[in-house]
Amino acid sequence: MPVVVVESPAKAKTINKYLGSNYTVLASYGHVRDLPPKDGSVDTEHEFEMKWEVASDSKKHITAIREALKTDDELILATDPDREGEAISWHLQEALASSLKKGKKVSRVTFNAITKEAVTEAMKHPRQVDQPLVDAYLARRALDYLVGFTLSPVLWRKLPGSRSAGRVQSVCLRLVVEREMEIEAFRAREFWSVNATLATPRGQEFVARLVQMGGKRLDKFDIATAEAAELAVKAVTSRTLTVQSVEAKPASRNPYPPFMTSTLQQEASRKFGMGAKACMSAAQRLYEAGHITYMRTDGIDMAPEAVTAARAAIGARFGAAYVPDAPRIYKNKAKNAQEAHECIRPTDMAAAPDDLRLAEADQRKLYELIWKRTLASQMASARLERTSVDIGSADGQVGLRASGQVTLFDGFLKVYEEGRDDEDEDEGKLPQIMQGEAAEKRDVASEQHFTQPPARYSEATLVKKMEELGIGRPSTYASVLTTIVDREYVRKDKNRLFPEDKGRLVTAFLTNFFRRYVEYDFTADLESQLDDVSAGERDYKEVLARFWRDFSAAIAETADLRIGEVLTKIDDFLSPHLYPLREDGADPRICTTCGTGRLHLKTSRSGGAFIGCGNYPDCRYTRPISGEEGGSVDGRVLGQDVDGVEISLRAGRFGPYVQKGEATAEVPKPPRASLPKGWESSELTLERALELLSLPRQIGPHPEDGVMVESAIGRFGPYVKHGSVYANIPDVEEVFTIGMNRAVEVLAQKLAGRRGGPAAEPLRDLGEHPDGGPIQVMPGKYGPYIKWAKVNATLPKELAPETVTVEEALALIAEKAGKTGKKKAAPKKAAAVKKPAAKKAPVKAAAAKVASKTATKTAAKKPVAKKTAAKVAADEDVIDL
C-alpha cells in the first residue's frame, strides 16, 4: 500500500477521501528540516556544504512515516507544485533515506488542484524530484542564511540598538523608507482650474473645463494664482459660447487576465483591505478544500479544459453575446515562471460563490473575487462610445472642453471591474449636444488645487512595485511584508505603510555601507540568476561563490568603522527627516534650548538613538528621532516634588520613563518608573509622573491576616499583591483607585484558579468550531488568546478581543495547530490516515509510541539555547523560495 505524504493534515484529509483505502496519506506539517540557528550551518570553506537538522516538532511526523514504510514499499511525495513543495519533497527523501533502502520505490507527483480528477490523474504520471528546482531552493536558503547571519552582527556592533537584516526584506524596507523621504521632501505647488456649468437649448446641463485662453492652450500650471483664476472666470463669463465640434469615437475595453499571486494580493487589498498574509491564508484553505487551483504562482495561463468550462459557464449564465468568438489566451510576463505555472482559478467554473456556502467570510469574499475575475477573463470586451465636445467664443479667446463616455455593451464589466490604487474621476455621461448650437452659462467657478506628494505604499502597491522591479517571488511577498511589520520597521495604519525609526536607521546604514546589496537592480539580477538555476541553466554553487566573494569583502571593510563615523553618515542621510525646515527659516540643526549648540544623532548607554545638543552636558536638550521640535523627551523637566527635587521625563531602551532627581555617588540609581502602555509622553503631567513614582501603592491590611495589600505596575501589566500572591487587573488606571473590596475579590479569584477552582471567565464566546467544541476568547497572563479544545492561539496585537471574528479565530487555531504539530482535539476522528483497522493498528500504535519516546528523550536532553546573533538573524530573515 503506497504511503503518500503531503504538507498539511487538511490536504491529507481531502486527498485521502479521493484515493481511498488503497493508500496511506500522511502529513509532514510543512518543512521537516532546516539549517540550525548557529554559525557554520553553511560552510563557505567547503563548497557551501549545508548542515541540516530535523526540527524537534517534525521528528514525530518523520517517525510516523518511517513506521508506515516498514510495511509499505512505495513512498509518493505529493507536496505542492512549486519550489517550496519540491524542497519539502527533497527534504523528506533525505530525512527518510535510512528507511528507503532495500528496493523501496520513491516517486514525486504534482497536481495544481486538489480535485479527484487532478489527484488520480497525477498518480498516473509519477516522476523523480526535480533537482534544478531543489538547487534553486538550496541557493536561496544559503543566500538568506549568509546575509542574515553575517550582516546582522555587523548591524549590532555598528548601529545603535539591536538590528537585523534580510536579503529581500531590506530591499523592500528601502522602498518604504525612500517613498517616505520623497513625501517629506515634497513641496506642494499651487494651481487653479476653471469649470463652467453649461446647458443645451433643451435645458440639459453638463460641465466643461477651460482649456484655452487668449488663443493659447493652457497647461496645468498656467493659472497659478487666485488673481489669474478670477481673470479667467471673467473672460469666460463675459463671452457668448457655442458648440464648435462634437466628436464621438468607438472604443472597447478588454478584460483583465486571471489572477496570479501578486495580482490576487493587490486586488484583495484594494477591495477588502485584506493584508497579504490574510489573503494567502484564506487562499490556502480554499485550495486545500479543493475549491481553487494552487495559489502561489506567477503564471496567468489557463488549462484548455478550464477555458472551455469558463466559456460554457459564461454562456449559461449571461448568454451567447457575452462569449467571445475565440478563447482568450494570456501570455505570462515573467521571464521564467517557476512557481506553479497556471493561474489561480476555481476548480469548477460552474460553482458560483453561493453554491459553496463557505462559512468563513474571508474565504467567501476571496472565492467570489477569483470566480468573477476568472469568468471575466474569458468574456467579451466592453464596447464604449467616447465623446469630446469643444465649446468656444466667436473671438477665439476662450475654449472649453467636455468629455464623456457611454457604455454600449457591458461585456465583462457585467461581472467584474478591477479596483484602483489611485482615485480618478470617471468620465460622466453627456447629454445630446449638437455642433453649432448655443451653450448657455449657468455657472462659472474657479477651484484651487495643490500638487500632491506620491502616495504611501499600501500592501497592494508595494507588492506591485516589487513585482515590477523583479524583487522576490510569489511565495515571498506575504512573508516579507509580515516580517517588516512584525519587526516594527514599518507601521501599518489605515492600509498604508509608514516607516518606523528602526526601519529608517537600518536603511540608512545599509544604503551607506552596503549599498550594492540593497540596490533594486542587483537584487533583481540575483533573482534572475536563481531562476536560471531552477531552469537548469546555471550551477547554484557558482552563484553562491560569486556572491560570497564580494559580500564577505564588503563585510570585512566595515571592521574598522567607528560608531561615530556610522552616526555621522546616518545623520547626513536622514537629515531631511531628522531636521525638517523651520517656519521662520532658521537653521533646523540649531538647538532651540541653548540657541548655540548643533543637533546631532546620538546613542545612549542603553543602545537607543536620539537627537541631542552638541553642548551637552551644559545643554540637556534631547528628543526622539521622530519627535517634534521642542518636544524634548530625555531630560525634559516636568516640575518638582514637595521636597524641591526635579521630576524629569527621559528616553530609555525600553521606552520613556520618569525619574526623580539625578544619579549621584550616594544615589547611583534614583527612583524611576516606566510609562504604562497607552500613556503618551507628550501629554504627561507632573501629577501623573508623581503617581507613577509613588508606586507600589498601599491599599491597606488584608481583612483575614492583616498583611499589607499593594497595587503596582509590573512587567506583565497592572496587578495587586498580597504576600506572595500576585493578581493581574485589566486597567492601568485601576492601580491608582482600586479599593480593598475589589482587591480582595481579584486575589480570591487568583487563588481559586491555583487550587483547581473555577477557571478564568472567557472574555467572549465566538460560537462552535466546525469540528465541534466552543471557541472562546480568554484572558491570559501574557495577553488575550483564542481557546478551542486543547489549542491555545495567542491573539495578535492588531486584533482586539472585542472585535475578533470567528473566521479570524479559526485561522489562528489552524495556524497554531499546524505549527505545533498537535492533533486537533476535536470530537470527530481525523481521517488523514486510512488503514484497515486490524492490519494497521499496531503500526499506528508503534508510530505514536516511538514519536512519544522520541519527543520525551529530546526534551530531556536538549539544553536551553542562548539567543545568539545567528538565532536572531534566523528569526529576522525571510526564506525566499
Side-chain angles (χ1 to χ4, degrees):
M1 184 186 300
V3 177
V4 180
V5 182
V6 296
E7 297 93 336
S8 72
K11 187 175 175 181
K13 183 176 181 179
T14 305
I15 291 173
N16 192 66
K17 180 174 63 177
Y18 297 146
L19 295 179
S21 58
N22 293 328
Y23 292 83
T24 300
V25 186
L26 299 172
S28 71
Y29 289 83
H31 276 280
V32 295
R33 300 196 308 175
D34 201 1
L35 298 172
K38 61 184 180 182
D39 293 334
S41 292
V42 176
D43 190 345
T44 56
E45 300 297 325
H46 296 89
E47 295 189 323
F48 301 96
E49 180 184 349
M50 303 170 78
K51 301 174 177 64
W52 301 100
E53 179 179 85
V54 176
S56 58
D57 287 342
S58 297
K59 289 179 180 178
K60 57 187 175 184
H61 307 308
I62 292 290
T63 301
I65 298 170
R66 281 202 182 106
E67 289 297 320
L69 286 171
K70 286 181 179 179
T71 54
D72 298 324
D73 293 330
E74 183 178 359
L75 174 64
I76 301 175
L77 302 167
T79 50
D80 289 339
D82 59 359
R83 290 186 183 103
E84 186 175 6
E86 208 70 23
I88 293 174
S89 285
W90 176 78
H91 277 301
L92 284 166
Q93 192 169 347
E94 294 288 308
L96 295 166
S98 60
S99 301
L100 297 174
K101 296 175 181 177
K102 300 176 184 177
K104 289 188 185 290
K105 181 182 177 182
V106 181
S107 60
R108 170 90 168 101
V109 299
T110 57
F111 33 83
N112 198 49
I114 305 178
T115 62
K116 185 171 184 178
E117 182 182 2
V119 172
T120 53
E121 184 64 22
M123 293 298 171
K124 298 175 185 177
H125 301 91
R127 60 171 173 83
Q128 295 303 302
V129 169
D130 188 328
Q131 193 57 45
L133 277 182
V134 173
D135 288 346
Y137 157 78
L138 294 174
R140 287 173 186 274
R141 188 66 191 95
L143 284 169
D144 291 333
Y145 173 92
L146 292 172
V147 172
F149 281 61
T150 309
L151 187 54
S152 294
V154 175
L155 287 168
W156 290 13
R157 293 191 298 270
K158 307 300 181 184
L159 193 63
S162 298
R163 306 287 184 261
S164 298
R167 183 176 64 87
V168 176
Q169 162 207 318
S170 298
V171 183
C172 179
L173 175 62
R174 181 187 170 192
L175 282 169
V176 178
V177 171
E178 289 190 344
R179 175 57 59 87
E180 193 69 20
M181 293 175 72
E182 288 178 39
I183 294 170
E184 291 168 349
F186 177 81
R187 296 294 175 264
R189 184 175 176 183
E190 181 183 10
F191 66 99
W192 291 72
S193 65
V194 175
N195 294 320
T197 301
L198 307 175
T200 67
R202 292 161 296 283
Q204 296 170 303
E205 291 187 351
F206 62 99
V207 176
R209 178 172 49 90
L210 180 66
V211 295
Q212 181 181 322
M213 195 169 72
K216 176 191 171 186
R217 187 165 189 82
L218 294 175
D219 290 329
K220 182 176 182 177
F221 298 106
D222 281 350
I223 305 178
T225 63
E227 292 77 14
E230 186 177 353
L231 288 174
V233 169
K234 288 181 179 178
V236 175
T237 306
S238 63
R239 286 171 169 79
T240 300
L241 303 177
T242 58
V243 178
Q244 296 178 339
S245 68
V246 179
E247 185 179 10
K249 290 183 179 179
S252 64
R253 282 182 62 185
N254 293 322
Y256 311 95
F259 282 129
M260 56 182 175
T261 303
S262 59
T263 52
L264 176 64
Q265 291 175 3
Q266 291 166 39
E267 194 70 343
S269 176
R270 294 185 194 111
K271 283 190 171 359
F272 312 129
M274 194 182 292
K277 183 178 179 181
C279 171
M280 295 311 289
S281 176
Q284 177 82 37
R285 296 194 294 278
L286 287 171
Y287 165 68
E288 290 178 345
H291 298 316
I292 64 171
T293 54
Y294 192 57
M295 67 288 161
R296 290 189 181 91
T297 175
D298 48 15
I300 55 174
D301 59 314
M302 198 186 302
E305 61 272 17
V307 173
T308 302
R311 288 168 61 84
I314 294 165
R317 286 182 176 272
F318 308 110
Y322 289 87
V323 183
D325 294 336
R328 295 187 181 275
I329 306 298
Y330 295 95
K331 293 183 179 180
N332 199 63
K333 293 180 182 178
K335 177 184 132 184
N336 186 10
Q338 284 291 336
E339 294 297 336
H341 308 302
E342 197 185 354
C343 66
I344 304 170
R345 60 169 177 82
T347 54
D348 181 2
M349 299 295 179
D354 292 340
D355 298 334
L356 297 186
R357 297 181 181 178
L358 296 166
E360 292 187 34
D362 280 357
Q363 288 188 45
R364 285 197 305 273
K365 291 187 290 187
L366 204 63
Y367 180 81
E368 183 175 13
L369 191 67
I370 294 167
W371 182 78
K372 285 183 174 180
R373 174 86 166 219
T374 306
L375 286 191
S377 72
Q378 289 298 324
M379 290 178 73
S381 301
R383 295 197 305 275
L384 314 169
E385 184 179 77
R386 291 180 178 150
T387 305
S388 296
V389 180
D390 288 322
I391 305 103
S393 61
D395 59 5
Q397 290 299 299
V398 297
L400 299 93
R401 170 163 287 191
S403 301
Q405 71 177 24
V406 177
T407 301
L408 303 177
F409 174 66
D410 53 4
F412 76 94
L413 294 175
K414 189 175 187 69
V415 176
Y416 183 82
E417 173 107 41
E418 187 173 63
R420 298 180 179 180
D421 295 316
D422 302 308
E423 292 297 326
D424 291 322
E425 290 185 7
D426 289 326
E427 293 181 330
K429 185 176 179 180
L430 293 175
Q432 183 184 15
I433 304 173
M434 299 178 65
Q435 184 173 342
E437 67 184 11
E440 180 189 348
K441 296 184 291 290
R442 296 284 176 87
D443 181 51
V444 181
S446 61
E447 185 178 358
Q448 185 184 33
H449 307 275
F450 292 94
T451 54
Q452 296 298 309
R456 289 183 177 87
Y457 286 113
S458 64
E459 287 197 2
T461 54
L462 186 56
V463 166
K464 185 178 181 180
K465 187 66 175 179
M466 291 171 67
E467 184 183 28
E468 290 173 357
L469 294 172
I471 299 168
R473 287 297 181 262
S475 59
T476 69
Y477 297 137
S479 56
V480 168
L481 295 177
T482 300
T483 297
I484 63 174
V485 173
D486 287 349
R487 298 295 179 262
E488 297 181 342
Y489 291 162
V490 168
R491 180 180 82 259
K492 187 176 176 182
D493 184 15
K494 295 179 181 177
N495 208 29
R496 293 288 170 178
L497 300 174
F498 295 75
E500 298 280 25
D501 290 338
K502 286 182 184 180
R504 290 179 185 266
L505 290 172
V506 169
T507 296
F509 179 84
L510 295 176
T511 303
N512 280 279
F513 298 101
F514 293 91
R515 187 170 188 85
R516 183 185 180 199
Y517 300 97
V518 289
E519 287 286 0
Y520 306 132
D521 290 345
F522 174 82
T523 306
D525 180 63
L526 190 55
E527 293 284 2
S528 295
Q529 293 181 43
L530 295 172
D531 285 343
D532 291 342
V533 172
S534 63
E537 298 171 1
R538 200 184 284 260
D539 187 318
Y540 85 93
K541 290 188 178 180
E542 289 180 8
V543 174
L544 290 175
R546 189 180 301 110
F547 175 86
W548 180 247
R549 181 189 63 216
D550 297 337
F551 185 68
S552 58
I555 293 288
E557 289 174 3
T558 64
D560 297 329
L561 276 177
R562 296 178 177 272
I563 291 180
E565 181 182 352
V566 172
L567 289 178
T568 299
K569 288 245 186 178
I570 294 176
D571 205 11
D572 292 340
F573 181 84
L574 295 178
S575 179
H577 167 65
L578 300 179
Y579 316 106
L581 295 175
R582 291 175 178 165
E583 291 183 4
D584 59 3
D587 185 348
R589 297 192 70 147
I590 295 297
C591 176
T592 54
T593 299
C594 68
T596 59
R598 285 185 65 79
L599 302 179
H600 299 281
L601 184 66
K602 297 187 174 187
T603 58
S604 63
R605 284 179 295 177
S606 63
F610 62 93
I611 303 299
C613 180
N615 285 342
Y616 179 85
D618 294 333
C619 177
R620 298 185 60 84
Y621 173 86
T622 60
R623 64 173 170 82
I625 66 177
S626 282
E628 295 293 331
E629 196 66 46
S632 175
V633 168
D634 197 5
R636 176 160 69 92
V637 176
L638 299 171
Q640 298 177 341
D641 67 3
V642 291
D643 298 323
V645 180
E646 283 189 344
I647 308 298
S648 58
L649 175 64
R650 299 171 181 259
R653 181 179 180 185
F654 303 107
Y657 65 93
V658 291
Q659 179 172 304
K660 181 177 179 179
E662 295 290 339
T664 62
E666 295 78 20
V667 187
K669 292 185 178 182
R672 295 175 175 175
S674 295
L675 265 63
K677 185 177 180 180
W679 284 31
E680 295 294 335
S681 56
S682 59
E683 300 174 1
L684 188 69
T685 62
L686 175 63
E687 290 72 20
R688 300 251 71 183
L690 290 171
E691 285 181 335
L692 280 177
L693 290 167
S694 69
L695 297 177
R697 169 177 163 260
Q698 293 189 341
I699 300 172
H702 196 282
E704 293 181 1
D705 56 13
V707 175
M708 183 60 65
V709 178
E710 299 176 339
S711 64
I713 303 172
R715 179 182 177 188
F716 304 114
Y719 66 89
V720 291
K721 173 181 176 289
H722 171 232
S724 61
V725 179
Y726 292 78
N728 290 97
I729 50 180
D731 187 3
V732 169
E733 295 301 327
E734 200 173 2
V735 169
F736 308 104
T737 60
I738 190 170
M740 182 59 70
N741 289 341
R742 166 72 173 147
V744 170
E745 178 188 356
V746 171
L747 290 165
Q749 289 175 349
K750 180 63 180 283
L751 284 171
R754 273 191 188 177
R755 295 167 183 161
E761 289 294 321
L763 300 175
R764 283 181 66 202
D765 284 309
L766 298 179
E768 287 288 311
H769 193 283
D771 290 338
I775 305 173
Q776 298 174 321
V777 184
M778 302 294 294
K781 182 178 181 180
Y782 305 106
Y785 63 93
I786 302 295
K787 180 176 180 58
W788 170 67
K790 294 184 179 180
V791 178
N792 296 329
T794 303
L795 199 64
K797 59 184 179 182
E798 64 268 17
L799 291 180
E802 301 81 16
T803 61
V804 65
T805 64
V806 67
E807 290 81 8
E808 291 166 334
L810 287 169
L812 292 170
I813 290 167
E815 184 179 0
K816 178 69 174 178
K819 282 183 179 178
T820 59
K822 290 180 181 178
K823 268 191 173 183
K824 290 182 179 179
K828 297 181 180 180
K829 188 176 180 182
V833 181
K834 269 198 176 181
K835 303 181 182 181
K839 183 178 179 181
K840 295 298 178 183
V843 177
K844 261 188 176 178
K849 187 175 180 181
V850 173
S852 176
K853 287 175 69 176
T854 305
T856 305
K857 189 175 180 182
T858 303
K861 289 185 177 182
K862 188 173 181 181
V864 177
K866 289 184 178 180
K867 188 170 185 179
T868 62
K871 171 63 177 172
V872 176
D875 289 344
E876 185 66 20
D877 211 13
V878 178
I879 300 174
D880 292 329
L881 299 167

